[in-house]
Amino acid sequence: MSTHKVSCPNRTCNIFNKTFVETVNNLILDKNLIHPQTINNIDSLKDSFVLLEITEADLIKIIHSMANKKSAGLDDISPYLLKSCIPYIAKPLLELVNASIRDGIFPSILKKSVVSPIYKGGTKEDASNYRPITLVPTFSKVLEKVIVNQLIAFLDKHNILNKFQFGFRKKHSTNDAIATVIENIIDNLNDKINCNCVSLDLSKAFDCIQHNILMDKLYKYGVRGIPHMLIKSYLTNRTQQVKVLHRETNEIKEYLSSSLPVKFGVPQGSVLGPLLFILYINDFPHLTQGRSIMYADDTSILNMGQNINELQYITSTNIGVVEKYFEMNDLFINPTKTHCIFFQTKQCRQDYKYKILVKNMEIENVNSINFLGVEIDSTLSWDVYIDRTCSRISRNLFLLNRLAKLLDLKGRRMLYYGLIFPFLSYGIVVWGNSAKALTKRIFILQKRAVRYTAGLKPLESCRDSFIQLKILTLYSMYIFQTILYATNKCNCTVNKQVHTHNTRNKNDYHKWVHNLELYNSKPSVAGCIFYNKLPNSIKQLDNKNQFIRELKNLLINRCYYSIDDYMNDKFCNAGQLYMLHVILHYIFCEFVGL
């Protein structure tokens, strides 16, 4: 695309808007890939989704559940403002929402979006190097939230959403998706099965959704009648304008482009749009012989084979199925950003390179891939990811040190959780058990951050500060998150399911025989090992929130500086503590002569 250097802000707005709309239109229309049919692999559900009218209490609850944002669409009404006004407008707003539900019509005034272009890299004069960030009217989000709440309940009841789709779902996160990928890879390596991963990149996936295909799939999933009409009304006749800010002397002014129709896609800044997208590709994971793990449009396909030749054949076959599926659904794979990685152990490292074609282009074989922000290397050593994480933490440590001198303890603690904690906690269930030398590098940086937060000198011990500030050490954080992952996300086997003996460890998790030492670093296995080590007073807690609270307090107060410290710790139960108290009391009495 040709670049544009424009000084007129009005013209700039229109160039951006035209680029954003025409990029998608050309991608679909120029290739003539509009199909009335899709791969028919969805069984039609007998039950139908019924969208019920809501009460005033339901409406107020929905509005108060919205984030306290001050950003607004074309109506200039933010969620923050709406929350302040809701006591006065609840009744008329409720009537408008219920009228839409009854008639199956989404108000046209709520289908106007405003787009802000955000620079993402490359030449700044090229409008295609900007990412469109969409804002929809706040009232639109309210009505969408009503639809989403009831639709998700219907989907969950009938178990429609694929369990390997982790995007935009409650109790599903990027950490869960990353852990699932690693669990599957380690299982294959442990069973001596050859395994690779093809990381797919889709071009403008949200913007290329074909409405007729989506509506057909929704009908099969049980969205029929008036709810079907309402969602179709929501998608059709949408328009967008681009907003840019321009500084004139000492004043910043907003400029809006003219409106352009949006013929394809779902609004990314909306509440309903992401759910419609994952329903659009919900049937995809059933097609391949491998394991497809998805977070919205971020897709990784794990291929398995008993030998290299079988693995190459299965990979090529799966790629063919994937290409056909995306072509039939008007989604487009970008071959230049699609990569393949072959996984192997450090002991059996070989240089496997084989030719895989996507859209008649050979994709690159790489030694590491980035999946949801975590760099996964071919031997799961995590050195690439930890190098990058250490660099990011080091940059933020400089900022923390400078700002800490201006803030009180509470402010410094908040700064720690804003600048340092996200890098320590993200994906730790998969990389937290890597080589000691690697985790020690991050732990040293964490201790420096805690010293800045607590106001300590550079070489002063910070062990007491971890406890006083109630901050988990890196290793305690890893133990905490893996235990929660194993107990909440994994259907792990307990000893009493394996044998009938009435042993004192019958409620502990069972340890399975494995071939690789790497197997112990699986999040589910590591979590079970750590859970079994816990004192009975915590393991016997039935209340989930109480269990989490007591577990965290234990890890904070013990302040572990390594995983070995935890595994070698001798926990005392209530009976042992009582006996210790009696013995100490007896010794004290003997000492004072009582």
Side-chain angles (χ1 to χ4, degrees):
M1 181 176 290
S2 60
T3 59
H4 302 272
K5 193 168 184 179
V6 181
S7 57
C8 175
N10 280 318
R11 191 180 169 200
T12 301
C13 292
N14 287 293
I15 289 174
F16 272 121
N17 203 20
K18 184 178 178 182
T19 300
F20 293 150
V21 172
E22 288 189 350
T23 299
V24 177
N25 292 347
N26 294 336
L27 190 63
I28 296 176
L29 297 176
D30 287 357
K31 296 186 178 182
N32 195 27
L33 289 175
I34 300 179
H35 305 287
Q37 78 286 352
T38 62
I39 298 176
N40 187 18
N41 64 322
I42 303 175
D43 295 328
S44 187
L45 190 69
K46 292 182 180 179
D47 292 347
S48 294
F49 169 58
V50 178
L51 186 60
L52 303 175
E53 295 184 26
I54 63 170
T55 64
E56 185 176 333
D58 295 330
L59 178 66
I60 292 174
K61 183 178 179 181
I62 286 172
I63 291 173
H64 283 298
S65 68
M66 299 172 71
N68 259 336
K69 293 183 178 179
K70 296 186 178 181
S71 54
L74 288 171
D75 57 1
D76 285 330
I77 298 175
S78 65
Y80 179 82
L81 178 61
L82 179 59
K83 287 183 180 182
S84 304
C85 301
I86 190 57
Y88 311 102
I89 62 171
K91 292 187 185 300
L93 181 57
L94 176 66
E95 181 56 35
L96 291 172
V97 169
N98 285 335
S100 292
I101 293 173
R102 286 192 302 269
D103 301 335
I105 299 174
F106 203 92
S108 298
I109 194 67
L110 302 183
K111 294 190 284 186
K112 297 180 179 180
S113 304
V114 60
V115 176
S116 296
I118 303 297
Y119 174 69
K120 61 181 181 181
T123 306
K124 288 189 176 183
E125 287 76 18
D126 190 346
S128 62
N129 289 330
Y130 290 77
R131 180 179 289 108
I133 303 299
T134 306
L135 282 174
V136 298
T138 302
F139 288 120
S140 173
K141 292 183 179 181
V142 174
L143 180 51
E144 291 174 50
K145 190 72 174 175
V146 173
I147 301 171
V148 166
N149 287 349
Q150 297 187 41
L151 182 54
I152 286 179
F154 176 80
L155 297 173
D156 290 342
K157 177 183 176 181
H158 295 280
N159 198 27
I160 291 173
L161 293 176
N162 193 285
K163 67 177 181 178
F164 292 111
Q165 172 60 266
F166 295 88
F168 306 110
R169 299 177 63 186
K170 276 188 177 181
K171 299 182 180 179
H172 291 72
S173 66
T174 53
N175 280 320
D176 297 333
I178 296 164
T180 303
V181 169
I182 300 304
E183 293 259 334
N184 280 271
I185 293 169
I186 294 177
D187 281 338
N188 288 314
L189 293 176
N190 184 66
D191 296 336
K192 299 182 179 179
I193 296 175
N194 292 282
C195 172
N196 70 21
C197 177
V198 177
S199 176
L200 297 173
D201 182 83
L202 300 179
S203 299
K204 298 190 176 297
F206 277 76
D207 299 324
C208 291
I209 297 297
Q210 279 285 352
H211 295 163
N212 60 329
I213 297 177
L214 173 61
M215 298 313 298
D216 179 58
K217 292 187 177 186
L218 289 177
Y219 188 89
K220 291 184 178 181
Y221 287 135
V223 182
R224 307 179 181 105
I226 291 179
H228 193 272
M229 291 169 52
L230 181 58
I231 293 177
K232 186 175 182 179
S233 172
Y234 168 76
L235 293 171
T236 54
N237 300 319
R238 299 193 69 90
T239 61
Q240 74 173 36
Q241 294 176 266
V242 168
K243 178 179 71 174
V244 297
L245 301 178
H246 183 69
R247 181 182 292 275
E248 297 179 358
T249 60
N250 293 326
E251 185 181 3
I252 297 178
K253 291 185 177 181
E254 293 183 356
Y255 290 86
L256 278 174
S257 70
S258 56
S259 294
L260 287 178
V262 180
K263 300 178 182 179
F264 309 103
V266 292
Q268 292 192 53
S270 63
V271 177
L272 181 57
L275 178 60
L276 295 178
F277 177 82
I278 65 174
L279 282 170
Y280 190 80
I281 59 172
N282 188 60
D283 54 331
F284 169 72
H286 301 294
L287 299 175
T288 62
Q289 297 181 47
R291 175 68 51 79
S292 300
I293 297 170
M294 312 174 73
Y295 192 91
D297 61 327
D298 286 302
T299 304
S300 291
I301 303 174
L302 296 175
N303 306 286
M304 291 80 76
Q306 295 296 329
N307 53 60
I308 295 300
N309 292 332
E310 181 182 354
L311 177 62
Q312 186 170 1
Y313 172 78
I314 290 174
T315 303
S316 299
T317 302
N318 285 338
I319 290 297
V321 173
V322 168
E323 282 191 77
K324 183 180 179 182
Y325 174 86
F326 285 134
E327 180 181 341
M328 295 295 288
N329 287 276
D330 287 347
L331 297 174
F332 307 97
I333 305 174
N334 185 350
T336 59
K337 294 183 180 180
T338 296
H339 305 300
C340 179
I341 180 172
F342 179 83
F343 292 101
Q344 51 194 325
T345 61
K346 293 180 181 179
Q347 293 76 18
C348 304
R349 191 179 302 180
Q350 300 182 46
D351 187 22
Y352 289 116
K353 301 288 183 183
Y354 39 80
K355 190 175 181 180
I356 301 174
L357 297 179
V358 174
K359 298 172 69 172
N360 297 322
M361 291 180 61
E362 184 176 355
I363 65 173
E364 184 181 1
N365 288 272
V366 295
N367 293 321
S368 65
I369 58 170
N370 188 298
F371 181 64
L372 299 176
V374 172
E375 200 76 20
I376 305 174
D377 58 272
S378 59
T379 59
L380 302 184
S381 62
W382 304 108
D383 49 355
V384 176
Y385 177 71
I386 289 178
D387 279 344
R388 190 179 67 178
T389 302
C390 286
S391 298
R392 291 179 172 180
I393 294 175
S394 296
R395 288 196 295 269
N396 285 357
L397 277 174
F398 172 78
L399 185 60
L400 176 62
N401 185 30
R402 295 295 296 269
L403 294 177
K405 299 172 183 177
L406 307 174
L407 301 171
D408 59 8
L409 183 60
K410 183 179 179 181
R412 295 197 299 268
R413 190 173 182 273
M414 291 177 62
L415 203 59
Y416 166 85
Y417 277 103
L419 295 175
I420 308 299
F421 177 78
F423 297 107
L424 299 174
S425 62
Y426 188 69
I428 194 172
V429 293
V430 297
W431 60 261
N433 203 20
S434 54
K436 293 181 180 179
L438 293 175
T439 54
K440 186 177 180 181
R441 288 176 56 198
I442 295 185
F443 186 45
I444 289 172
L445 295 176
Q446 185 194 22
K447 289 194 289 185
R448 189 185 302 172
V450 169
R451 288 191 182 97
Y452 293 156
T453 305
L456 302 178
K457 296 179 180 179
L459 298 179
E460 196 171 349
S461 173
C462 58
R463 185 182 287 268
D464 291 339
S465 297
F466 274 106
I467 300 172
Q468 292 167 3
L469 295 171
K470 295 185 178 181
I471 293 175
L472 290 170
T473 66
L474 179 73
Y475 303 102
S476 295
M477 198 184 308
Y478 169 64
I479 294 166
F480 179 71
Q481 291 201 20
T482 48
I483 289 176
L484 294 186
Y485 178 81
T487 54
N488 296 334
K489 303 293 183 180
C490 306
N491 189 20
C492 300
T493 305
V494 295
N495 287 329
K496 65 182 179 182
Q497 294 176 302
V498 179
H499 59 73
T500 57
H501 305 295
N502 189 24
T503 62
R504 60 184 171 184
N505 296 323
K506 64 180 181 180
N507 292 319
D508 284 358
Y509 289 114
H510 187 69
K511 299 177 183 178
W512 295 105
V513 178
H514 54 272
N515 299 317
L516 294 176
E517 184 63 28
L518 182 64
Y519 191 82
N520 285 331
S521 67
K522 276 183 60 177
S524 58
V525 174
C528 290
I529 293 172
F530 295 147
Y531 176 87
N532 291 343
K533 180 64 181 175
L534 288 172
N536 291 330
S537 58
I538 294 181
K539 287 193 287 188
Q540 291 171 356
L541 293 173
D542 294 328
N543 185 282
K544 180 182 175 182
N545 292 330
Q546 189 179 2
F547 172 81
I548 294 174
R549 185 167 56 252
E550 292 298 325
L551 172 61
K552 190 171 185 178
N553 288 336
L554 171 76
L555 295 173
I556 288 174
N557 293 327
R558 295 282 179 164
C559 193
Y560 296 112
Y561 269 34
S562 71
I563 295 173
D564 290 338
D565 286 350
Y566 174 80
M567 297 304 296
N568 295 329
D569 200 350
K570 303 296 183 184
F571 297 109
C572 296
N573 58 33
Q576 291 172 325
L577 287 173
Y578 175 75
M579 290 302 298
L580 182 61
H581 173 75
V582 171
I583 292 171
L584 290 174
H585 179 72
Y586 174 77
I587 294 173
F588 176 77
C589 292
E590 286 290 326
F591 179 77
V592 297
L594 295 178

